Amino acid sequence: YTYNLRNKGPEDVIVRVIYCGICHSDLIQMRNEMGMSHYPMVPGHEVVGIVTELGSEVKKFKVGEHVGVGCIVGSCRKCGNCNESMEQYCSKRIWTYNDVNHDGTPTQGGFASSMVVDQMFVVRIPENLPLEQAAPLLCAGVTVYSPMKHFGMTEAGKRCGILGLGGVGHMGVKIAKAFGLHVTVISSSDKKKEEALEVLHADAYLVSKDAEKMQEAAESLDYILDTIPVAHPLEPYLSLLKTNGK
Ligand SMILES: [Zn+2]
Ligand SMILES: [Zn+2]
């Protein structure tokens, strides 16, 4: 599929895409599982690449720099949410793909050779971070990093439980360890124990079906990050939190 990039404005960055992660929501959109897909669609919202061109007003990036783009590429800039840097809650936010740009053209995502993105929604990637490893940070990574920062779940030495060990849970372990937390992976079986402890270097592993171990772990955690992607009861896990836990 071939399409023309939208015209570059003064605030835009043109990015040559090098890698793009695959998020489960890309599959949901591709298969129209939410009933809101428009085709032809170019998914991809864990985009990393290199700056090739800059609009006349862009000062914070240079040609050749490594950058990333996540799931939003625009917002109204005027509402309360935008004024508080919470553009993700703006009612006029623009999704990276399957949405409409300010100029009326469809947005197309990162499974492409290039993108034109407003500088406000472009982030710099450190030169020493391999680009292919940076890509999943743009969605899965920020999905855990953002609430941890927002709710102050970052105090080194505190005990953090990560519920579920899929794409997001795996990021949760890495980021929680980077904050210096003691990390317990909580999973329904012991299938992922080796991966959690040996590969991701979690500190402990708790099987939620083991009633005795769950009882022993009651009120032992300061924080819990729930990354289980299906509806499930919270009560068994809330009992693991200390009073005033997060
Ligand atoms: Zn995603
Ligand atoms: Zn807004």
Side-chain angles (χ1 to χ4, degrees):
Y1 172 53
T2 303
Y3 58 96
N4 292 322
L5 294 175
R6 68 175 173 80
N7 290 331
K8 180 184 71 177
E11 300 279 343
D12 287 328
V13 176
I14 300 191
V15 181
R16 180 160 63 86
V17 179
I18 306 294
Y19 294 103
C20 186
I22 301 174
C23 175
H24 195 83
S25 59
D26 292 318
L27 304 182
I28 290 171
Q29 293 271 17
M30 281 160 57
R31 296 168 181 156
N32 196 19
E33 287 175 12
M34 296 199 294
M36 50 179 272
S37 298
H38 296 96
Y39 304 103
M41 177 196 292
V42 179
H45 58 275
E46 292 181 343
V47 191
V48 290
I50 294 173
V51 176
T52 57
E53 261 184 76
L54 296 168
S56 56
E57 298 295 314
V58 180
K59 301 281 184 284
K60 65 179 193 180
F61 296 107
K62 291 190 188 80
V63 170
E65 271 185 326
H66 293 179
V67 292
V69 180
C71 66
I72 306 171
V73 291
S75 70
C76 85
R77 308 286 187 89
K78 290 186 260 217
C79 71
N81 285 319
C82 284
N83 286 337
E84 288 182 37
S85 301
M86 293 193 297
E87 292 84 359
Q88 69 270 33
Y89 294 112
C90 174
S91 61
K92 296 196 175 123
R93 74 181 162 249
I94 299 174
W95 300 111
T96 300
Y97 65 89
N98 196 35
D99 206 343
V100 180
N101 284 309
H102 290 301
D103 66 1
T105 58
T107 59
Q108 302 287 17
F111 299 161
S113 47
S114 290
M115 291 176 77
V116 182
V117 185
D118 187 311
Q119 63 169 336
M120 188 171 196
F121 298 90
V122 177
V123 293
R124 180 174 290 103
I125 293 173
E127 297 291 318
N128 61 356
L129 180 60
L131 281 178
E132 72 277 17
Q133 292 178 20
L137 298 174
L138 275 305
C139 180
V142 76
T143 299
V144 285
Y145 180 82
S146 173
M148 291 182 82
K149 290 292 277 188
H150 184 81
F151 294 107
M153 299 164 65
T154 57
E155 208 181 312
K158 295 282 190 187
R159 302 176 76 90
C160 179
I162 307 284
L163 266 185
L165 195 64
V168 176
H170 153 272
M171 282 289 171
V173 176
K174 304 278 279 187
I175 291 172
K177 289 298 294 180
F179 282 133
L181 307 182
H182 178 283
V183 176
T184 301
V185 171
I186 305 159
S187 188
S188 55
S189 76
D190 61 7
K191 270 194 299 201
K192 295 180 177 173
K193 185 170 181 177
E194 196 181 328
E195 185 189 354
L197 300 178
E198 308 298 328
V199 181
L200 299 173
H201 306 295
D203 301 287
Y205 192 90
L206 178 59
V207 177
S208 57
K209 287 209 174 85
D210 187 332
E212 201 176 309
K213 287 276 187 296
M214 285 289 280
Q215 184 63 43
E216 277 172 27
E219 295 182 47
S220 67
L221 300 175
D222 298 287
Y223 317 133
I224 294 180
L225 272 171
D226 186 350
T227 74
I228 299 174
V230 292
H232 64 91
L234 294 177
E235 287 76 9
Y237 306 108
L238 289 176
S239 67
L240 301 174
L241 271 183
K242 293 179 186 172
T243 306
N244 289 327
K246 298 179 181 179

